[in-house]
Amino acid sequence: KALVDQRRGFEYRLQRRAARKVDFVRYIEFELKADELRKLRKKRLGLKKRTVSDFAHVQTVFFILERAVRKFQGDTNMWLQFVDFAVAQRAEKRLSTLFARALQMHPRCAAIWIRAASWQYFELGNASTARVLMQRSLRLNPSDKLLWLEYFRLELHYVAKVMARRSALGLQAAEPEAAEKGGTGKEAAKGQGGAGEEDSASAFARGAVPLVVFRNAISGKLGLDLGFRVDFLRLCDEFQGADEVTAAVLESIARDFKKDPKSYTLVAKFCLHASQAEDAAQGGRAGGGAKGAKRRKLAGGGASAQDDDSADGLSVGERRGVCVLEEGLANLPDDPEMWQAYAKFLRDCRKARSDGASCQGAMSGRLDALYRRAAAKGAGALAVGMCLDWARLPSDGSAGEAAAAAAESRLRLGLAVHPHSPELWATLLGLKRFQACVAPCALGTQEATRRPVAALMEAEEALLNEAIAAVGKGVSGLRGDVVSKLAQPLVEKLSLEALEAGEGTTKKFKAAEKLMLRLLGLCVGRGAPTALCCQYLTLAHSTQGLRGVARARHHVLATYPGGDPKLAPFLVHLADLATQAATQAAGEASDGMDLARAALEAALGMARPDAKQEVLEAYADLERRMGFADRAEKIRWKSASADHSTNN
């Protein structure tokens, strides 16, 4: 009775004027769960006789799906759900008419065409009908990438299936050399006929049919898409024995995309991976046979002397990839993406090396030579990112100061190409800080004490001035955030020295303060450097307490008398530090709160409209922490009003 009641409810929902798809789906789920419950009960009772109930639920679901696709004819998901259920029930007669109706209603839906061809091929074993379906779908949808790829997969699968069957029957594919073994006269005629059949069988085994599909796929506008051809390569990787097809696809990429750096990278990676796979399959014997010759020809390799691993420290696959990328550089000498792709290939090869430091050193030397070639070409070849990678490249057998000197030399060469790059200057300044602070410690205490510390500081400051002057001449000019980034190593060093000197020591603090104020003055009109201002404030608070916080506020606001929206985070941070100083010193509680409130009021006046909400929340939180609940409530009410007005 409960089952009947629930079915009655579902039927009423299906009969409503505005039927919903979800009602059909829930009805189907209910019937399937009821059928599972029936099967469990039958198994528990040990009943083996088949009755009408074994088919009733399935027929009910078919009836519901039939009504659903009639009601929602334009919904492809409903048709596909119907197909999936029919396939699961092995309803072959129903599927034949169902696919015909679905394709008549949705001839542009690739998923239905693929499902129909898959059913014909895998379930019924009818390869010819599956091929006809895919060809018909491509006549109606010639620009559908998914249909071309699935048709290509179908033909590859068919070739693999036929070759596996021949292998199981002991029938080997005919070799191309067999066609040359013909006689004279009648024997020659017979030999020529046999050779023709053997040639066709050999061409089929090499993947002639999938290649026809591929060439037709790239004959139109789809052939201009490199990613589309990469998808064909991925499909070839799924099948063994598709090396000829893969090589043909790669040849088409190399031929048609000579101006695209990605094509050279793709072919180089294939040469590397194919050589590794070939070595594994042939026990270390790389590049043998017709397949090895094909790959050597594709990669630009030639004689077997090229395959000698000890010739230049490169493996066979790495050498082939290098040949391809060298061809790319010859065709695209001024394309920075091509140079970056070449460098990335060598870096990946170096990272994958597990055959000792000497081989990694050889790869590092090749990388260094490539970077120097790019530097000689100029900015069109050597990008800023390549300069940074070049500086991080390990030097041969050098460590410590020698490695730092090599990195500095490379950065100088990069700056000769990109003299206005803040990233390169910031890296050089950080390296100089390492040389001045870390490297002397490795020389021992006596040697470190003999180093002129003041001279090192002057050299670092002179380098910072040089960097600021060079970056300021660039197209983007000098900005506050760039100054903060450039000055960060030296400012951190001076701040640490001031903190190590202890609270109350003014000499070290004034040296750091002098540099920071000079840098702040450089940024007037270019945007306040928020990070530098906060560093100055933190140093002043750590060394001089509340007095230092007030001093930092005075100097920063005097440097930017008109205010700057970028100073709002600085003032919020100032209020937090002033509150901390007020709680630590009992006699300065009132002064600290007054300073914090004044800073937050100034931040409200400077902040952008979208940032005022955060300042008000920080203001309210400050008053609440200090025990002024009434003030906090007023500020929160003001914050809510501001938020409401902003939303409106």
Side-chain angles (χ1 to χ4, degrees), residues 12 25 33 39 60 173 201 210 226 240 278 296 315 318 342 409 427 450 463 508 511 514 535 547 584 625:
Y12 280 139
V25 174
K33 290 178 181 178
K39 291 178 181 178
T60 303
L226 178 60
Q240 294 182 354
E278 189 176 347
R296 280 196 298 272
S315 67
E318 289 170 350
Y342 195 173
S409 173
T427 306
R450 285 198 295 265
L463 183 62
K508 297 287 186 181
K514 181 180 178 181
Q535 278 184 304
R547 183 167 56 88
Q584 293 171 1
R625 284 190 284 112

Side-chain angles (χ1 to χ4, degrees), residues 311-527:
D312 52 4
L314 297 178
S315 67
V316 177
E318 289 170 350
R319 190 176 300 110
R320 293 172 184 171
V322 166
C323 290
V324 173
L325 291 168
E326 286 290 345
E327 181 184 352
L329 286 183
N331 293 330
L332 303 170
D334 299 324
D335 192 333
E337 190 177 351
M338 186 68 242
W339 289 90
Q340 291 172 18
Y342 195 173
K344 186 178 185 304
F345 177 80
L346 293 178
R347 286 199 306 271
D348 292 341
C349 291
R350 182 187 179 278
K351 192 179 298 183
R353 283 284 180 108
S354 59
D355 46 1
S358 60
C359 293
Q360 288 191 349
M363 189 62 71
S364 299
R366 186 173 287 272
L367 260 171
D368 184 72
L370 176 67
Y371 287 130
R372 292 184 184 277
R373 287 169 58 191
K377 281 284 185 180
L382 187 68
V384 174
M386 289 181 64
C387 296
L388 297 175
D389 293 333
W390 189 15
R392 289 190 287 265
L393 182 68
S395 301
D396 295 337
S398 58
E401 286 193 350
E408 180 182 356
S409 173
R410 294 165 180 169
L411 284 171
R412 291 287 187 183
L413 289 174
L415 284 169
V417 180
H418 300 280
H420 311 304
S421 171
E423 292 84 3
L424 292 179
W425 281 109
T427 306
L428 181 60
L429 288 164
L431 181 63
K432 281 295 185 181
R433 183 191 174 195
F434 167 80
Q435 292 174 308
C437 300
V438 180
C441 298
L443 300 175
T445 307
Q446 295 181 355
E447 182 66 22
T449 53
R450 285 198 295 265
R451 285 178 176 266
V453 179
L456 288 173
M457 292 294 297
E458 291 178 1
E460 285 189 65
E461 191 167 352
L463 183 62
L464 175 61
N465 294 333
E466 181 184 358
I468 291 174
V471 173
K473 294 178 182 178
V475 177
S476 59
L478 192 66
R479 303 190 311 271
D481 55 342
V482 174
V483 172
S484 295
K485 186 176 182 179
L486 293 174
Q488 183 179 3
L490 186 57
V491 167
E492 286 182 353
K493 182 177 180 180
L494 292 173
S495 300
L496 286 174
E497 290 181 354
L499 291 173
E500 290 173 358
E503 188 175 354
T505 304
T506 58
K507 185 176 181 181
K508 297 287 186 181
F509 169 73
K510 285 187 177 180
E513 183 185 45
K514 181 180 178 181
L515 174 64
M516 292 181 184
L517 291 177
R518 184 173 69 82
L519 294 173
L520 290 176
L522 289 175
C523 298
V524 174
R526 297 184 174 93

